Amino acid sequence: MTSLVTQLSDILGQAFAAEGLDTSFGRVIFSDRPDLAQFQCNGAMAAAKAAKKNPREVATKIVEILKGNNIFSKIDIAGPGFINLTLTDVALKTYISGLVDHPRCGVDPTAQGETIVLDYGGPNVAKPMHVGHLRSSIIGDSIRRILKFTGYNAIGDIHMGDWGTQMGMMISELEILHPEWVYFDPTYTGDYPAESPVTMDDLEEIYPRVSALCKTDEARLEQSRKATVDLQNKRRGYYALWKHFVTISLASMKRNFTALNVHFDLWKGETDVHDLIAPMVDDLKSKGYAVESEGAIVVHVKKNDDTKEFPPLILYKRDGGVMYGTTDLATILERVRDYDPVKILYIVDKRQALHFEQVFRGAKLTKIARDDVELTHLGYGTMNGTDGKPFKTRSGGVLKLEDLIAMGKDKAIERLDAAKVGDTFSEDEKANIAMKVAIAAIKFADLQNNFSADYVFDLDRMTSFEGKTGPYLLYQAVRIKSLLEKAGYKAGGDILLSDQDRALYLMITELPEVIDTAVRNYTPHVVCDHAYKLAQAFSSFYGNTHILSEENAAQKQSWLTLSAMVLAQLELSLDLVGIEIPARM
RNA sequence: GGUCCCGUAGCUCAACUGGAUAGAGCACCUGCCUUCUAAGCAGGGGGUUGCAGGUUCGAUUCCUGCCGGGAUCACCA
């Protein structure tokens, strides 16, 4: 179904056209001044400027045309030329009635199955997932959900960091600690053990230690680089050891992402494109794109009109190793070849903006990606602590993701116990509710902000569960479920509009535009914002209107229908940001 | 130093891409649980949108210059 403001925009657009003005001036939006009108059109002022006319005169002419349309109960001109519109209840009711059973809450798909690849998550093999992975994962997953709902073939790819220097650090360290291991015997030709000689805990201990060491010890770093190159050349023992790293890391990642309700369609990593790199670079060399520079093989991506320094994209380092720019370029090659996407979106820390600019330029320059393939880096802000500096735990370390989730869950259980709502629930259900509350709190705290700005990560605020939080939204949704259940609600009956519920009905009609904005700008926070406003408006209505004791049966049924519609929108909106609602709480 | 981003209530953030009276939450104050879940609701105080200019009927939004903060500037990811 066509959204309400689209219908109104069409009507206004025709009125502008009748005056010889562009139909786009007819764009109608929800009113900024609900006290004056339900909708407004600001086009008369812009049209007047373009046509060098008086804005109020233009508005007057438009209004004259609109007067012939009986869906408006009130049309007037305010200020310099705002056209304020209010619908008759009959017209509003007609639209709302079509919304009641609509499976998508009135939002039609706008895409036709075009493929979009989303690159988010990016956990590293052999390193624990920490809160730094949170933003990429939940923002990326939400954008994927929104795009998919809009009709795109949205493919989420986790793009694991499984092939970089950190692998060389780990392997070389194990070789120093355990030179006798069969993995390090170059003459060994048999099979390697099926069981990993190290655990995730071992890896978690080794990485930060060696990483720090390599920063000060040039020789040790050299050793790591060497091991990295050997691994990338698939030295048998190294490769077997690396396989173990991947296996044990995957188990840990899957635990975290399942808990977070973050989904990936592809579990690929840097390794998956390794075999594409050599042929790709050879090809680029033969075409003259890739050239030798200071011992490295690079693509010069500086453009003539650049005023600033623009470093080249390095494909092969002096030591023959590849860099993440190389794998990112090869990954574009692979994605174009396998999926032919119209867009590839990268949800990665904004500090990597220059890197992506280099890679994107390289991809376009070398025709690895056609000009019409949109390559976009959706760079999110740094996660800071309440002191404004990059987030650290009280002891100065990184907070592991699973610890964060566990903290949220404990807090939620505390809350359930305090409110005594969970007393009659089974332990399983309580744990399930606590988990959903914790994830809702974590996700909503992040996703309600525009992701491009830096984000202050405040554990205390996040787990307070009061005010504008995920748990508030769950609470409102669950209250509606409970209400409908108590009422034994069954769909049907007429929609009755009244002064106490009209605003809520109007808010329900906003969803298509909300989602459209979210899709156009890749901004899940507008969906969060709408869900919150809707929940708040419902809560206000709920507080002022006692539904179950309403004696007028038709009115009661109408309010229940309204409640059901609000619930459906909350469920949809929250699903689009990856938040699940429990049956009760 | 070059380039880019940011600066909105005490704090954390919005503001439909140039619109009307800049909105929420937290914190603070006042009410509301013998009627549908108080993780709630109703109300109150709190703003020269960093500063100074400019464009415009109209600027938090666009332009210029300052001030303050951050990021980044080829062999790490």
Side-chain angles (χ1 to χ4, degrees), chain A residues 178-199:
Chain A
H178 310 284
E180 74 287 0
W181 281 4
V182 63
Y183 300 96
F184 306 121
D185 178 357
T187 64
Y188 183 76
T189 55
D191 290 340
Y192 292 98
E195 199 67 23
S196 173
V198 288
T199 64

Side-chain angles (χ1 to χ4, degrees), chain A residues 288-478:
Chain A
Y289 293 125
V291 295
E292 191 271 335
S293 172
E294 298 178 29
I297 304 295
V298 308
V299 176
H300 290 292
V301 292
K302 185 173 174 2
K303 291 177 183 168
N304 290 333
D305 56 348
D306 280 336
T307 49
K308 58 179 174 178
E309 286 296 307
F310 217 96
L313 178 65
I314 297 178
L315 298 177
Y316 278 120
K317 298 186 285 183
R318 250 193 298 273
D319 65 9
V322 300
M323 297 195 29
Y324 76 142
T326 324
T327 49
D328 278 348
L329 190 63
T331 303
I332 292 175
L333 179 73
E334 186 202 33
R335 286 171 177 164
V336 167
R337 184 193 69 190
D338 294 351
Y339 307 106
D340 190 25
V342 294
K343 304 178 188 199
I344 304 177
L345 308 177
Y346 295 80
I347 297 88
V348 182
D349 192 308
K350 71 178 174 188
R351 284 175 293 194
Q352 298 197 24
L354 179 61
H355 162 74
F356 282 109
E357 179 80 33
Q358 288 176 282
V359 172
F360 296 166
R361 283 188 182 199
K364 298 278 170 149
L365 181 72
T366 60
K367 316 277 189 222
I368 283 173
R370 291 186 316 271
D371 284 342
D372 61 351
V373 178
E374 176 189 324
L375 300 173
T376 301
H377 171 214
L378 301 172
Y380 54 82
T382 311
M383 198 163 80
N384 291 328
T386 46
D387 58 356
K389 294 177 188 155
F391 179 81
K392 292 268 164 45
T393 57
R394 288 191 181 86
S395 56
V398 291
L399 178 59
K400 283 165 68 174
L401 194 47
E402 45 193 333
D403 293 341
L404 168 67
I405 295 168
M407 287 164 74
K409 193 177 166 187
D410 289 346
K411 203 82 185 175
I413 287 174
E414 241 176 66
R415 193 52 169 264
L416 273 170
D417 288 340
K420 296 192 195 309
V421 269
D423 286 2
T424 58
F425 300 177
S426 71
E427 282 306 310
D428 269 5
E429 185 178 0
K430 248 167 102 166
N432 182 281
I433 292 167
M435 195 62 165
K436 284 180 172 152
V437 168
I439 299 304
I442 292 168
K443 285 192 171 180
F444 194 82
D446 195 325
L447 291 171
Q448 68 171 300
N449 301 321
N450 192 338
F451 64 74
S452 62
D454 285 351
Y455 166 57
V456 174
F457 183 80
D458 184 344
L459 266 178
D460 294 333
R461 186 156 49 89
M462 194 182 291
T463 53
S464 76
F465 304 154
E466 273 165 20
K468 193 174 181 180
T469 62
Y472 170 88
L473 288 161
L474 300 188
Y475 176 74
Q476 298 304 343
V478 163

Side-chain angles (χ1 to χ4, degrees), chain A residues 16 18-21 44-59 61-62 80:
Chain A
F16 276 91
E19 284 300 309
L21 299 162
M45 292 172 287
K49 185 175 269 186
K52 296 200 162 61
K53 289 181 176 169
N54 180 310
R56 282 196 73 106
E57 269 175 36
V58 173
K61 293 216 167 109
I62 300 301

Side-chain angles (χ1 to χ4, degrees), chain A residues 74-207:
Chain A
K74 195 152 72 84
I75 308 171
D76 40 40
I77 301 166
F82 294 101
I83 301 173
N84 284 331
L85 306 161
T86 298
L87 291 176
T88 64
D89 275 358
V90 173
L92 186 54
K93 183 178 145 178
T94 302
Y95 181 79
I96 302 272
S97 299
L99 218 48
V100 175
D101 297 324
H102 197 278
R104 295 168 54 97
C105 297
V107 186
D108 282 347
T110 50
Q112 284 84 42
E114 299 93 334
T115 297
I116 298 180
V117 174
L118 296 98
D119 188 313
Y120 56 92
N124 293 308
V125 162
K127 284 203 262 184
M129 286 185 64
H130 53 83
V131 291
H133 293 106
L134 206 51
R135 300 213 80 191
S136 174
S137 303
I138 66 188
I139 294 165
D141 184 55
S142 176
I143 295 174
R144 180 189 62 79
R145 287 165 184 267
I146 292 167
L147 292 175
K148 192 172 178 196
F149 178 73
T150 315
Y152 286 100
N153 173 33
I155 301 174
D157 182 2
I158 191 168
H159 200 66
M160 281 178 281
D162 57 3
W163 208 232
T165 306
Q166 80 268 23
M167 293 301 132
M169 289 183 186
M170 309 289 302
I171 289 172
S172 56
E173 183 67 9
L174 288 172
E175 185 159 16
I176 291 166
L177 294 172
H178 310 284
E180 74 287 0
W181 281 4
V182 63
Y183 300 96
F184 306 121
D185 178 357
T187 64
Y188 183 76
T189 55
D191 290 340
Y192 292 98
E195 199 67 23
S196 173
V198 288
T199 64
M200 197 64 205
D201 287 343
D202 295 334
L203 297 179
E204 289 177 11
E205 181 276 322
I206 294 171
Y207 177 75

